[in-house]
C-alpha cells in the first residue's frame, strides 16, 4: 500500500524538524502532516517519475518543498529495490553538512531515524548515513548528493532533484552535466530574474510540467502574515523569495514590473479620455 501511495506513508509515519517551534513552546521535531498542496506535489513528482518526464517547481520560500522532496525520496528508497535518487545544488553545504539543519541530507537523516524501527529497512545513521550518500540495506537503494558545475555527470539516477536551480552559478555547465543522468529531473527553485534557464523553461514548458508552489498554498500563511512580511523585508527579497515574480526579483529596474502592469487600461478605470500624440 505504501509503495503505491508514498505520500500516505509520509503522513502516517514521517517526522519533520523546525527549531522555530521552540519559541512557541512546541518541540523542534514534530509529525510531518502534509497540507494539500504538499501532497499534490508528491503525487505530481511520482507521476512524472513514472512517465519519465522532467518537471519544474517554481516555489515560494518556507513552503516545505525541500522537506517534501526529501521525505518522498526516502520513502521511495525504502519501498523500491535498486532505487537511485540524486540531489544537486550550487554549494556542497546546501546538500549535506552533517550538523546543519539547512542541508538536504540532514533532513533525510532526521526523517529516517525518527521512523518506527519496523519501517527503517535496516537503516542506521552510523552505518548507512555517510556524508553525501545514504544507503538503504534492505532494498539496495541509494540517495547521493553533489554540488557545483558538474552535478550528475557520469551518474545514473531514476530521479534527480536540482535544488535552487535558478541560482546555479554556471547553469549551462550543469545542464550539460545532467543531460544523460536521468529520465526524470525535477528542478525546484525560487526565481532570480527572467533570463535564467529555469525561467526560460517555466515560460516555454507545458503547464502540466510546471508545478507552481506559492505561499498562498500554505494554510499557515494569510494576508496578515504577508502584510507583516512587507514591513520587515526588502521588496526585492519578497518578490524573489515569496511572490515568485521573475521581473520584480531583479535589482536596479527603472520602472518596476508591477507599475507597468498597473498602468495597463488605467485610463478606463480612471475615466480618462486618451488624447495627444503617442510617442
Amino acid at each position: 500500500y505504501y509503495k503505491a501511495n508514498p505520500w500516505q506513508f509520509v503522513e502516517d509515519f514521517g517526522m519533520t524538524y523546525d527549531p522555530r517551534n521552540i519559541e512557541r513552546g512546541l518541540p523542534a521535531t514534530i509529525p510531518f502532516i502534509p497540507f494539500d498542496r504538499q501532497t499534490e506535489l508528491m503525487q505530481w513528482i511520482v507521476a512524472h517519475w513514472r512517465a519519465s518526464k522532467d518537471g519544474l517547481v517554481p516555489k515560494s520560500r518556507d513552503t516545505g518543498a525541500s522537506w517534501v522532496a526529501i521525505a518522498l525520496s526516502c520513502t521511495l528508497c525504502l519501498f523500491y529495490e535498486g532505487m537511485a535518487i540524486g540531489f544537486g545544488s550550487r554549494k556542497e553545504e546546501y546538500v549535506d553538512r552533517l550538523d546543519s539543519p539547512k542541508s538536504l541530507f540532514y533532513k533525510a537523516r532526521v526523517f529516517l531515524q525518527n521512523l518506527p524501527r519496523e519501517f527503517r529497512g535496516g537503516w542506521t545513521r552510523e552505518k548507512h548515513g555517510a556524508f553525501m550518500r545514504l544507503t538503504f540495506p534492505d532494498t539496495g537503494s541509494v540517495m547521493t548528493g553533489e554540488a557545483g558545475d558538474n552535478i550528475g555527470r557520469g551518474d545514473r539516477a531514476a530521479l534527480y532533484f536540482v535544488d535552487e536551480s535558478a541560482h546555479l552559478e554556471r547553469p549551462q555547465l550543469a545542464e550539460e552535466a545532467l543531460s544523460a543522468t536521468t529520465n526524470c529531473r525535477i528542478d525546484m527553485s525560487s526565481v532570480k530574474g527572467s533570463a535564467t534557464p529555469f525561467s526560460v523553461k517555466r515560460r516555454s514548458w507545458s503547464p502540466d510540467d510546471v508545478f507552481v508552489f506559492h505561499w498562498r498554498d500554505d494554510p499557515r500563511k494569510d494576508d496578515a502574515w504577508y502584510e507583516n512580511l512587507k514591513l520587515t523585508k526588502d521588496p526585492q527579497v519578497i518578490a524573489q523569495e515569496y511572490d515568485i515574480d521573475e521581473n520584480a526579483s531583479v535589482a536596479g529596474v527603472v520602472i518596476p514590473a508591477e507599475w507597468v502592469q498597473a498602468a495597463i487600461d488605467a485610463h478606463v478605470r480612471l475615466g480618462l479620455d486618451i488624447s495627444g500624440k503617442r510617442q
Side-chain angles (χ1 to χ4, degrees):
Y1 174 77
Y2 288 132
K3 185 176 183 178
N5 302 276
W7 41 87
Q8 192 62 54
F9 179 79
V10 174
E11 180 170 337
D12 289 349
F13 295 104
M15 300 289 282
T16 184
Y17 171 81
D18 189 342
R20 295 173 298 183
N21 286 338
I22 298 173
E23 65 202 48
R24 294 180 289 169
L26 298 172
T29 303
I30 58 174
F32 187 178
I33 309 297
F35 50 81
D36 290 346
R37 193 62 170 165
Q38 289 177 328
T39 299
E40 291 170 9
L41 177 56
M42 285 188 269
Q43 293 169 340
W44 179 86
I45 292 171
V46 169
H48 275 66
W49 164 55
R50 288 176 174 158
S52 297
K53 295 177 65 179
D54 293 343
L56 211 68
V57 185
K59 66 182 182 70
S60 299
R61 191 170 183 176
D62 196 31
T63 52
S66 296
W67 269 104
V68 165
I70 284 295
L72 175 63
S73 297
C74 290
T75 302
L76 293 175
C77 286
L78 285 167
F79 288 99
Y80 284 87
E81 292 189 3
M83 192 73 172
I85 299 179
F87 283 85
S89 189
R90 67 188 188 278
K91 291 185 178 181
E92 185 178 276
E93 63 191 80
Y94 298 146
V95 181
D96 198 3
R97 192 170 179 178
L98 294 178
D99 297 317
S100 175
K102 77 175 181 179
S103 72
L104 293 169
F105 278 31
Y106 181 96
K107 295 177 174 65
R109 294 184 188 94
V110 168
F111 182 85
L112 288 165
Q113 68 189 21
N114 282 286
L115 289 175
R117 179 174 51 83
E118 294 81 358
F119 279 120
R120 290 180 204 155
W123 188 90
T124 63
R125 178 167 181 162
E126 294 74 21
K127 292 182 179 180
H128 311 108
F131 179 69
M132 288 285 207
R133 184 177 178 85
L134 305 179
T135 55
F136 298 78
D138 281 9
T139 59
S141 295
V142 62
M143 287 169 57
T144 58
E146 297 171 296
D149 295 333
N150 289 306
I151 53 176
R153 185 175 293 279
D155 198 7
R156 296 294 179 267
L159 183 59
Y160 200 100
F161 290 93
V162 182
D163 178 55
E164 293 297 349
S165 175
H167 300 268
L168 292 173
E169 294 180 2
R170 286 171 286 274
Q172 190 54 47
L173 294 179
E175 291 286 332
E176 295 169 2
L178 283 163
S179 59
T181 300
T182 181
N183 292 328
C184 180
R185 168 182 164 183
I186 304 296
D187 286 40
M188 309 178 74
S189 185
S190 56
V191 296
K192 187 181 181 183
S194 58
T196 63
F198 182 85
S199 292
V200 172
K201 290 177 184 178
R202 181 185 176 188
R203 293 192 298 271
S204 60
W205 282 14
S206 164
D208 292 338
D209 298 326
V210 180
F211 189 100
V212 179
F213 201 163
H214 196 270
W215 65 262
R216 290 192 180 277
D217 298 320
D218 187 338
R220 300 168 297 179
K221 300 177 175 66
D222 54 19
D223 288 335
W225 171 88
Y226 186 64
E227 291 303 316
N228 183 66
L229 188 72
K230 290 196 291 186
L231 295 175
T232 58
K233 303 291 184 184
D234 181 89
Q236 183 191 340
V237 172
I238 294 175
Q240 176 173 295
E241 304 293 342
Y242 297 95
D243 287 339
I244 323 179
D245 187 337
E246 296 170 346
N247 295 316
S249 65
V250 180
V253 174
V254 177
I255 303 177
E258 60 183 296
W259 294 6
V260 177
Q261 295 300 318
I264 296 174
D265 290 333
H267 66 291
V268 177
R269 297 192 295 274
L270 296 173
L272 302 176
D273 292 326
I274 298 299
S275 61
K277 181 188 268 187
R278 183 183 294 249
Q279 295 184 326

